[in-house]
Amino acid sequence: MTLSPRLPFFVYGTLRPGQPNHDLFLRGRVRAEEPARMEGAVLYDGPGYPYVVEEVGGGGVVHGDLVTARPEEYPALLIALDLLEEYAPGDPRSLYERVARQVLRETDGTAVRAWVYVAAPAVATRLRARGAPITSGDWGRR
């Protein structure tokens, strides 16, 4: 089994501060949280949570937070977030895929490689066809 790199997480929905899953999953497990954005993506409203759909060459921006886990919490947090996001590598029923992407810190524009849960291909196709984009790119301000 190949181990995943220990990247920070880019969160943009229910895991952001003030949202319902933040305290359940992140409280006491993170070392840092800071505002960030992901370019080249569109945010879609879902049934109580959002989806990011990547748009290669697109001008969309998704606003969220860059979360750095405490080293001792990382393995358990990765498993917990994969379960929350219903992501199982190679499973076509997954709602999301966990992918490593570049995000930008809002404070200084520094690029950081982070894990992002993006809509799985079948979900992304449905959203592009008939989903409700969040034009602000910020799920908390939809």
Side-chain angles (χ1 to χ4, degrees):
M1 178 174 157
T2 305
L3 293 177
S4 298
R6 289 190 175 208
L7 301 176
F9 299 90
F10 176 71
V11 299
Y12 54 84
T14 66
L15 289 165
R16 291 187 78 184
Q19 296 297 326
N21 284 325
H22 179 272
D23 285 352
L24 291 172
F25 289 87
L26 300 179
R27 180 181 291 198
R29 296 173 126 176
V30 300
R31 190 175 62 205
E33 294 175 292
E34 56 190 308
R37 69 185 181 276
M38 179 180 178
E39 298 179 345
V42 175
L43 192 62
Y44 285 88
D45 210 3
Y49 48 86
Y51 289 99
V52 162
V53 175
E54 294 182 286
E55 298 293 347
V56 178
V61 176
V62 174
H63 299 277
D65 293 281
L66 187 63
V67 175
T68 303
R70 293 181 182 279
E72 67 276 13
E73 294 288 340
Y74 195 93
L77 182 59
L78 182 66
I79 291 167
L81 294 182
D82 281 355
L83 288 171
L84 172 68
E85 304 296 1
E86 297 183 40
Y87 166 67
D91 187 339
R93 297 169 298 175
S94 291
L95 295 179
Y96 293 90
E97 289 188 331
R98 178 172 35 89
V99 297
R101 294 292 184 263
Q102 176 180 288
V103 299
L104 303 171
R105 286 188 170 108
E106 290 288 0
T107 54
D108 60 8
T110 301
V112 177
R113 196 157 174 79
W115 288 125
V116 183
Y117 291 91
V118 300
V123 175
T125 298
R126 285 194 306 273
L127 290 168
R128 286 185 187 108
R130 55 188 177 275
I134 299 170
T135 56
S136 70
D138 188 334
W139 190 65
R141 295 177 30 190
R142 56 191 184 281

